Amino acid sequence: MIHSKQITTQDKATLHYLECGTGKPLVMIPGGAQTADGYKYQINALSKYYHVFAIDMRGHGESVD
């Protein structure tokens, strides 16, 4: 099950990320104007082997500057 979470940085930006699985961490960073949600199918498959994080970059998806 993919969990939707957020964290607030020291400069008060709210960053959204998706998290799933256990094991060694695997960070997925979308390029261009893509969002973490675009990785949902890969996250499900990879979470069987890794602790997967997919991050919405600042100003993209559900992340807010």
Side-chain angles (χ1 to χ4, degrees), residues 4-47:
S4 178
K5 297 183 176 184
Q6 62 185 24
I7 188 170
T8 302
T9 63
Q10 288 182 346
D11 63 347
K12 306 299 183 219
T14 301
L15 302 180
H16 171 260
Y17 64 97
L18 302 175
E19 180 180 8
C20 189
T22 59
K24 291 185 178 183
L26 173 67
V27 179
M28 303 178 84
I29 302 172
Q34 296 176 334
T35 65
D37 193 51
Y39 289 121
K40 61 185 171 189
Y41 299 112
Q42 292 88 346
I43 292 171
N44 277 328
L46 292 169
S47 68

